[in-house]
Amino acid sequence: MALSKKDSFTLTLPKSERQTLVDSKELPRRIQAKLEQASGGVDDIELTPREMSSLLRMLDFVAPFAVGKEKPRLLKIRERVHRQLERDLYPAGRRPKNAPIDPETVYQFKITLLGYKPDIWRRIQTLDCTVDDLHWILQAVMGWEADHLHLFRIRLTDFGDPEILQDPLGAAPLQDSLTAWLSEILAKRSKGFRFLYEYDFGDSWLHEIKFEGSLPAEKGKHYPLCVAGERRGPPEDIGGVWGYAELVEAIKDPSHERHEEFIEWIPDDFDPEAFDESAVNKALERLRIHSE
């Protein structure tokens, strides 16, 4: 869900729900600190648009996979937060003027992980959304876990979180990805336009995003949608494309010096050549790109 340019959002949560969020290991530290400072039975917590976006996406990714008593609690909190935000942003079902969403147009992209052969790639379709929304779409389709910083480079401008990024890719100006829309960026671009997405500045996973054109939205279809792809994405913290190449080589060769180490580290069903389009689209279903 894309956020507007509001300075802050007021989130109202009972004490029990605040504690459930605080206990979640995936909660961003800045939000955790604000929740811990709150007191009393019900309190209003002021969150910046960036913090609200992070909270929403954490709940979208984590709540459906929680276990035990935590799962219904997180699902309940997720619904509460989404409903409150939709009321704040879209009163009477109307979209704010600074949200140039065209609900009839779908944008298609091909995402390719750079530096690794054979190619690991995905083809996606999405309604108009912010660049921040696109980040979460890419996390879902590539199988990343949103544990690290990220940045988009579109021509000579970087897009990301201005609260924490200090120009890691160079001297390019930085724009807030929460307020930059795909429709604005692509308005004067033709098919074949490319830009970069970097995830985890340590492992430096670079992705090329190629715009493949726009098409009419199909009635009854859920967007964003993955329509094609090949190979599973690498695991987190493996050391970039070079580390992943070594892992793939080692698990195939019992005589490799790191074979046993990697076999113990990866899941039993790990297959570098496997691509599960259905599983990817289930992950995308948790992302809410607002449309009328």
Side-chain angles (χ1 to χ4, degrees):
M1 178 184 293
L3 302 184
S4 73
K5 296 180 181 178
K6 289 181 62 173
D7 292 332
S8 65
F9 293 88
T10 302
L11 181 62
T12 302
L13 289 175
K15 182 178 180 180
S16 60
E17 294 185 1
R18 294 200 310 271
Q19 190 61 49
T20 296
L21 288 175
V22 168
D23 292 340
S24 176
K25 296 179 180 179
E26 291 82 5
L27 186 70
R29 292 180 181 178
R30 287 178 294 175
I31 303 174
Q32 182 177 8
K34 288 188 176 183
L35 293 177
E36 289 176 339
Q37 290 170 5
S39 61
V42 177
D43 265 290
D44 292 338
I45 300 103
E46 294 294 321
L47 298 178
T48 67
R50 176 69 55 181
E51 291 167 340
M52 181 66 88
S53 177
S54 297
L55 175 59
L56 286 167
R57 295 315 186 195
M58 183 280 281
L59 290 168
D60 283 342
F61 270 74
V62 172
F65 298 101
V67 295
K69 295 180 179 179
E70 186 182 33
K71 182 172 183 176
R73 292 172 181 171
L74 288 174
L75 288 172
K76 180 180 178 182
I77 295 171
R78 183 179 72 159
E79 289 306 310
R80 178 195 295 274
V81 174
H82 274 289
R83 284 198 304 270
Q84 180 177 332
L85 187 61
E86 288 184 345
R87 287 196 300 269
D88 290 346
L89 288 183
Y90 309 112
R94 296 186 177 274
R95 194 179 311 284
K97 293 181 180 180
N98 64 342
I101 288 182
D102 176 3
E104 303 301 324
T105 299
V106 170
Y107 299 97
Q108 181 167 300
F109 300 94
K110 182 179 180 182
I111 298 100
T112 305
L113 184 66
L114 297 178
Y116 184 83
K117 293 295 182 180
D119 285 347
I120 299 171
W121 63 274
R122 307 285 185 264
R123 178 167 285 114
I124 64 167
Q125 297 175 347
T126 181
L127 297 170
D128 192 13
C129 62
T130 67
V131 174
D132 184 72
D133 286 322
L134 183 59
H135 154 66
W136 290 101
I137 293 171
L138 298 180
Q139 289 286 307
V141 300
M142 296 301 294
W144 299 126
E145 299 175 6
D147 286 338
H148 302 281
L149 298 177
H150 71 279
L151 188 72
F152 288 87
R153 171 153 287 179
I154 304 176
R155 284 293 187 257
L156 299 178
T157 302
D158 293 342
F159 293 81
D161 182 352
E163 296 179 13
I164 57 177
L165 290 177
Q166 296 296 323
D167 202 20
L169 288 185
L174 179 66
Q175 290 192 21
D176 191 339
S177 58
L178 279 176
T179 58
W181 292 77
L182 292 182
S183 56
E184 297 171 327
I185 292 169
L186 299 173
K188 298 180 180 180
R189 309 295 184 188
S190 58
K191 290 171 61 175
F193 175 65
R194 292 171 168 86
F195 55 98
L196 292 176
Y197 169 73
E198 181 175 8
Y199 171 62
D200 184 352
F201 301 150
D203 281 2
S204 190
W205 300 106
L206 279 174
H207 308 69
E208 177 192 77
I209 305 174
K210 179 182 177 182
F211 175 49
E212 294 189 324
S214 57
L215 58 153
E218 293 185 33
K219 189 175 181 180
K221 253 190 182 179
H222 174 89
Y223 298 100
L225 181 69
C226 181
V227 296
E230 287 187 297
R231 299 175 187 85
R232 67 157 292 155
E236 300 263 3
D237 305 317
I238 193 60
V241 291
W242 299 277
Y244 184 54
E246 183 182 16
L247 180 147
V248 173
E249 178 185 357
I251 63 176
K252 292 180 179 178
D253 181 5
S255 66
H256 193 285
E257 63 180 1
R258 302 189 69 185
H259 176 78
E260 293 299 328
E261 173 190 348
F262 283 130
I263 288 296
E264 292 181 2
W265 188 63
I266 61 176
D268 293 338
D269 60 351
F270 184 89
D271 181 359
E273 295 298 312
F275 171 64
D276 190 339
E277 184 176 310
S278 176
V280 169
N281 279 312
K282 285 183 179 179
L284 286 174
E285 287 176 4
R286 303 198 301 274
L287 302 180
R288 302 184 179 197
I289 303 301
H290 190 94
S291 62
E292 295 182 332

